[in-house]
Amino acid sequence: MSQEKPHISSYRSHVFVLAALIVLTGISVAVTTLELGRLDTLVAMLIAGAKAGIVLVWFMHLKFDNKLYTIFTVLVIVVFLLVLYVTFFDYSYR
Amino acid sequence: MSESTKSNHESFLEYKGKYRGILGWILSTDHKRIGLLYLYTMLVFFSVAAILGLLMKIQLIAPGHTIMGPATYNAMFTMHGIIMIFIIVVPGLPAVFGNFFLPLMIGAKDVAFPKLNLASWWIYVIGILIVLTSQFMGDGPPDTGWTFYAPYSFQTPANIVPALVGAFVLGFSSILTGINFVVTIHRLRAPGMKWLKMPLFPWTLYATAWIQILATPVIGITLLLTVMERTLGVGIFDPALGGDPILYQHLFWIYSHPAVYIMILPGMGVISEILPVFSRKRIYGYKAIVLSSLAIAFVGYFVWGHHMFTSGMSGRALFAFSFLTFLVAIPSAIKVFNWVATMYKGSLIFQTPFFWAVSFVFVFMIGGFSGLTLGSLATNVHLHDTHFVVAHFHFIVFGGTGFSFLAALHYWFPKMFGRMFDASWANMGWLIFFAGFLALYLPMFYLGIMGMPRRYYDYLPEFHGANILSSLGAILMIGGALIIIVNLVRSSRYGEKTNDKNPWGGKTLEWQADTPPTLENWEDIPEVTEKPYEYK
Amino acid sequence: MEKNAEHTHVHRDDEGDKLGMWLFIFTELLLFGMLFLVYAVYRYRNPVAFQLGGEELDVFLGTLNTVLLLVSSATVAMSISAIQKGLKKHALVFLGITLLIAVVFLVNKYFEWGAKIEYGFYPGGEALLELGHGTILFFGLYYVMTGIHALHILIGIGLFIYVFQQIRADKIHSTDYIWLENTGLYWHLVDLIWIFLFPLFYLIH
């Protein structure tokens, strides 16, 4: 496995990814000036999720690495979200 | 180079590395030496915590003040819990036998990160020392119980902070061991050892290591938050500052329930190694054991609430946690069927490791069933915080992890030390220990149902009879433990020498290595063609 | 990478080292994850106080720090690309920029915290204790979460300095750069956490 030639990302691709992340940050800041009420949190979290996804896939190289890392990452996120969900069985109905 | 190549033919117990004497051990990165370092450290602290337990049982032999007052009793059960949980049972099997046998069983020369492995032991020792300072500094030893429940844990004047920090450091050691094992299993299996040709002990270590990686940070941050609450006055769990103490319980058990599986899963692995060897039969349902181990690790994450049925959670949460708890019982029960079916029609060989393994299955079943009793809501309200709970978790944690630890110790003893233990003393030790164990904990089920609460130094006169039996059982069990320990320590030095690679007739890889193994385990890395446990 | 006096061979397994780093990252994700869980519970129970608390924070400073961290994530990724191509000078420049940004981030944090502490807005501080429970929780979490995050930045700075030296000494080069790669992964993790901290504390109303 380590004998495989590593994928080398170009500088350009990193700059593109960075641009996308900064644009998303801008959108996220701009959206808060709108009065979305309860949707506010949802939108902010969705944008943050998208940014996190971009960082994971490109900067952290999940796209080009062994698929094992992707599977593990998804599993870990699922475990965390389930723990959050199960915790709110308590708080949502207290 | 040439010098160390030469030393590769000496046993790991004897070779001379860069350092001599004790430094050659406490600075060694050899997984086998590190495993023994953990073993010796645990032996010392197990003795301490067992004596604390014995003293508590002597206090409870009669109602009222017999040998200690309430404050001492509180400090004792706290320290007994902290040592037994964080220093003995959680690291227990992975740190001792995982370190020693994981590389041997998968045909590797060492773990993936030998230096990190040594660092884990050092962090472990530092953690222990920090925990111990809590006893001798500040305003008295901790009296919160090993659970450090909020808000008491930041209200008591006792010296909680070192205990919290120490447990945090111990958690770090556990995480690093987990990372090491996962990488080792992924990267260092011998050629031909596909995932489904891996023996079951490494499989359970794999599942355990994932829990160590994903659950231990939860207790880490929880303890850290409590430290900050106590020292800096940050409002997190304190109701006076708006916090929710029940959230502390959530976080604590999000770790501590999976931690129970850190304790028991490798034990299940050990039993799955021993039973086929002493039945001369292929393990029944290899894949079922693998899958149920992974299932336990996963589902075990979502059942933590069953420790909190009476703390004021929402009704909806109670139902969810009770349901999930019943769910996690299924994979555990599958394993019991596997073990019994493995023995069925086998040519049973009645030797010490087998006795330990069978008694494990027995006590594990009692522990498991009493767990279901506690997992159902209605009975839980009655039994919560009584001696029934104490009996239940001692059957699992001590009966499960402790018995499998001793099973593993006897099973692998000749490989580890190159000497045989004295079998008749070992068997007698087992019998006395087992009898003492049952006499100690079975009455607690009764006491709990009758309503005797846990964590009190005193009780009502009507509980006297059963408490006498329980306390006598404790004395008997400690006697058995003494016989076992003295026998093993003696045998490790003076026992009959053996170079027999495979005294029990095992089929897994560790029995192909020299006895005791050499520095890097193998002349040539073995090639694996068969599945484990292929008895014809 | 594992050189060992007692072992007859030098065992090197970059893929294994990377797997180890990922597992460590998962540990960190769960550690911060639990802080997010605490935040979620208390926000759910104190929606108004958390909203008002958020309005006290400086959106400009928060946005600036967000952009800074994103840029530093890009530069550390570029320094990995550079080292893979054997461009030592480029790698050092990119890494130097990353290191600089990390320091600037902490300086900003210092001023941000400093301003609040001056007003008595710190755990146990008088101005904070006069306010309601929800606000105490909000600022408690603010300090704890950004504080632990800042601690990770500090560790990252240490790693960058070490890796920088190693590249200069040609210990890290185009065929052996796992230390740089793992440091990069760590730094992206620090960025990931901030990506969620930023909207939760500064933005959501």
Side-chain angles (χ1 to χ4, degrees), chain B residues 262-344:
Chain B
I262 297 181
M263 306 169 196
I264 196 74
L265 269 172
M268 294 167 158
V270 168
I271 302 307
S272 309
E273 293 295 334
I274 292 177
L275 286 179
V277 174
F278 289 85
S279 310
R280 290 290 184 268
K281 255 183 81 192
R282 192 178 309 172
I283 186 94
Y284 182 86
Y286 170 88
K287 275 187 195 160
I289 296 184
V290 170
L291 285 177
S292 59
S293 301
L294 297 174
I296 287 176
F298 184 74
V299 183
Y301 264 93
F302 310 108
V303 301
W304 75 83
H306 66 222
H307 296 266
M308 308 158 54
F309 282 160
T310 58
S311 25
M313 278 195 301
S314 77
R316 188 87 59 121
L318 296 180
F319 282 115
F321 281 123
S322 184
F323 172 74
L324 288 164
T325 302
F326 275 79
L327 216 56
V328 84
I330 297 170
S332 311
I334 288 176
K335 286 190 197 303
V336 174
F337 286 118
N338 286 123
W339 294 324
V340 175
T342 303
M343 287 185 278
Y344 178 67

Side-chain angles (χ1 to χ4, degrees), chain C residues 22-183:
Chain C
W22 271 102
L23 295 173
F24 180 72
I25 285 174
F26 297 150
T27 289
E28 292 272 22
L29 283 180
L30 263 289
L31 183 114
F32 278 100
M34 289 307 120
L35 287 170
F36 286 117
L37 184 139
V38 174
Y39 176 94
V41 166
Y42 287 149
R43 184 173 191 105
Y44 179 81
R45 286 161 65 101
N46 309 281
V48 179
F50 269 57
Q51 182 185 332
L52 294 175
E55 283 168 10
E56 292 298 316
L57 298 183
D58 188 337
V59 179
F60 172 74
L61 216 53
T63 315
L64 177 68
N65 265 351
T66 307
V67 173
L68 281 176
L69 268 194
L70 290 173
V71 173
S72 74
S73 249
T75 50
V76 80
M78 285 156 97
S79 96
I80 295 172
S81 297
I83 208 90
Q84 286 172 322
K85 293 177 192 162
L87 302 170
K88 180 178 165 186
K89 271 229 175 85
H90 285 205
L92 284 174
V93 170
F94 285 129
L95 204 61
I97 297 173
T98 317
L99 182 57
L100 194 72
I101 292 177
V103 174
V104 172
F105 182 95
L106 282 186
V107 171
N108 283 347
K109 199 90 252 159
Y110 170 79
F111 284 115
E112 203 186 347
W113 276 33
K116 281 184 196 60
I117 290 172
E118 210 168 300
Y119 289 117
F121 265 69
Y122 56 89
E126 294 207 354
L128 187 58
L129 286 178
E130 279 170 20
L131 297 167
H133 282 166
T135 317
I136 296 177
L137 288 174
F138 179 85
F139 280 100
L141 282 172
Y142 164 78
Y143 280 108
V144 168
M145 290 172 84
T146 58
I148 294 180
H149 181 260
L151 184 69
H152 281 79
I153 301 243
L154 214 57
I155 294 167
I157 290 175
L159 282 171
F160 287 141
I161 293 173
Y162 173 75
V163 169
F164 193 89
Q165 293 292 344
Q166 294 288 302
I167 296 177
R168 271 212 341 201
D170 283 320
K171 296 263 174 57
I172 295 175
H173 48 76
S174 63
T175 53
D176 187 359
Y177 52 84
I178 186 67
W179 261 96
L180 176 62
E181 207 178 357
N182 276 348
T183 306

Side-chain angles (χ1 to χ4, degrees), chain A residues 34-56:
Chain A
L34 307 171
E35 287 301 326
L36 290 174
R38 298 198 61 168
L39 275 179
D40 193 53
T41 313
L42 183 70
V43 171
M45 284 299 100
L46 281 178
I47 295 175
K51 284 165 72 181
I54 291 173
V55 170
L56 280 164

Side-chain angles (χ1 to χ4, degrees), chain B residues 241-469:
Chain B
L241 298 172
D244 177 20
I246 297 177
L247 185 59
Y248 174 88
Q249 297 188 17
H250 275 299
L251 291 172
F252 183 83
W253 290 111
I254 289 174
Y255 163 73
S256 295
H257 195 78
V260 175
Y261 297 107
I262 297 181
M263 306 169 196
I264 196 74
L265 269 172
M268 294 167 158
V270 168
I271 302 307
S272 309
E273 293 295 334
I274 292 177
L275 286 179
V277 174
F278 289 85
S279 310
R280 290 290 184 268
K281 255 183 81 192
R282 192 178 309 172
I283 186 94
Y284 182 86
Y286 170 88
K287 275 187 195 160
I289 296 184
V290 170
L291 285 177
S292 59
S293 301
L294 297 174
I296 287 176
F298 184 74
V299 183
Y301 264 93
F302 310 108
V303 301
W304 75 83
H306 66 222
H307 296 266
M308 308 158 54
F309 282 160
T310 58
S311 25
M313 278 195 301
S314 77
R316 188 87 59 121
L318 296 180
F319 282 115
F321 281 123
S322 184
F323 172 74
L324 288 164
T325 302
F326 275 79
L327 216 56
V328 84
I330 297 170
S332 311
I334 288 176
K335 286 190 197 303
V336 174
F337 286 118
N338 286 123
W339 294 324
V340 175
T342 303
M343 287 185 278
Y344 178 67
K345 284 191 175 173
S347 338
L348 301 184
I349 300 166
F350 293 98
Q351 275 172 317
T352 324
F354 181 74
F355 293 142
W356 281 109
V358 174
S359 49
F360 167 92
V361 177
F362 178 73
V363 292
F364 179 70
M365 256 170 48
I366 295 180
F369 279 128
S370 57
L372 287 180
T373 317
L374 289 167
S376 48
L377 290 172
T379 44
N380 183 282
V381 173
H382 177 70
L383 296 171
H384 194 88
D385 267 349
T386 67
H387 264 66
F388 191 93
V389 178
V390 181
H392 158 68
F393 69 70
H394 279 92
F395 261 90
I396 292 291
V397 173
F398 195 15
T401 315
F403 276 46
S404 55
F405 192 95
L406 287 163
L409 198 53
H410 286 94
Y411 176 55
W412 281 316
F413 188 89
K415 180 64 69 182
M416 293 165 87
F417 296 100
R419 291 173 188 273
M420 278 308 281
F421 56 83
D422 184 316
S424 49
W425 279 103
N427 292 342
M428 187 156 67
W430 165 75
L431 192 66
I432 295 173
F433 187 92
F434 190 33
F437 179 89
L438 295 178
L440 164 57
Y441 294 115
L442 281 178
M444 288 189 184
F445 282 123
Y446 165 78
L447 285 168
I449 292 171
M450 298 312 286
M452 179 175 163
R454 63 192 280 212
R455 292 185 169 177
Y456 286 90
Y457 84 115
D458 195 4
Y459 52 83
L460 297 172
E462 60 257 40
F463 299 135
H464 195 184
N467 267 303
I468 293 179
L469 179 58

Side-chain angles (χ1 to χ4, degrees), chain B residues 45-46 48-49 52 56 74-91 124 127-128 130-135 141-148 159-168 170 223 252 255 263 393 455:
Chain B
F45 286 95
F46 175 79
V48 172
L52 292 178
M56 285 192 286
N74 291 351
M76 281 211 173
F77 73 66
T78 302
M79 208 50 196
H80 174 80
I82 293 175
I83 294 181
M84 283 298 194
I85 297 288
F86 290 116
I87 300 178
I88 313 288
V89 238
V90 169
Y124 171 74
I128 293 175
I130 299 175
V131 167
L132 288 183
T133 59
S134 70
Q135 297 300 302
D143 55 355
T144 55
W146 73 280
T147 48
F148 305 113
N159 196 18
I160 305 292
V161 171
L164 294 169
V165 175
F168 175 83
L170 287 168
L223 298 176
F252 183 83
Y255 163 73
M263 306 169 196
F393 69 70
R455 292 185 169 177

Side-chain angles (χ1 to χ4, degrees), chain B residues 181-216:
Chain B
F181 285 2
V182 171
V183 178
T184 306
I185 291 172
H186 270 278
R187 303 294 301 169
L188 297 181
R189 276 171 291 134
M193 185 176 277
K194 303 228 168 62
W195 280 97
L196 288 179
K197 284 185 182 163
M198 191 162 72
L200 288 163
F201 183 55
W203 259 116
T204 51
L205 285 173
Y206 184 72
T208 306
W210 271 104
I211 310 178
Q212 288 175 308
I213 292 168
L214 296 185
T216 318

Side-chain angles (χ1 to χ4, degrees), chain B residues 79-161:
Chain B
M79 208 50 196
H80 174 80
I82 293 175
I83 294 181
M84 283 298 194
I85 297 288
F86 290 116
I87 300 178
I88 313 288
V89 238
V90 169
L93 283 154
V96 177
F97 298 105
N99 261 322
F100 201 110
F101 286 102
L102 173 63
L104 283 163
M105 292 180 90
I106 63 172
K109 292 186 171 182
D110 206 316
V111 292
F113 310 116
K115 278 189 204 161
L116 192 70
N117 202 17
L118 178 63
S120 303
W121 181 75
W122 275 101
I123 294 171
Y124 171 74
V125 170
I126 292 168
I128 293 175
L129 292 177
I130 299 175
V131 167
L132 288 183
T133 59
S134 70
Q135 297 300 302
F136 307 110
M137 289 168 19
D139 303 315
D143 55 355
T144 55
W146 73 280
T147 48
F148 305 113
Y149 268 10
Y152 185 63
S153 57
F154 42 83
Q155 288 169 348
T156 169
N159 196 18
I160 305 292
V161 171

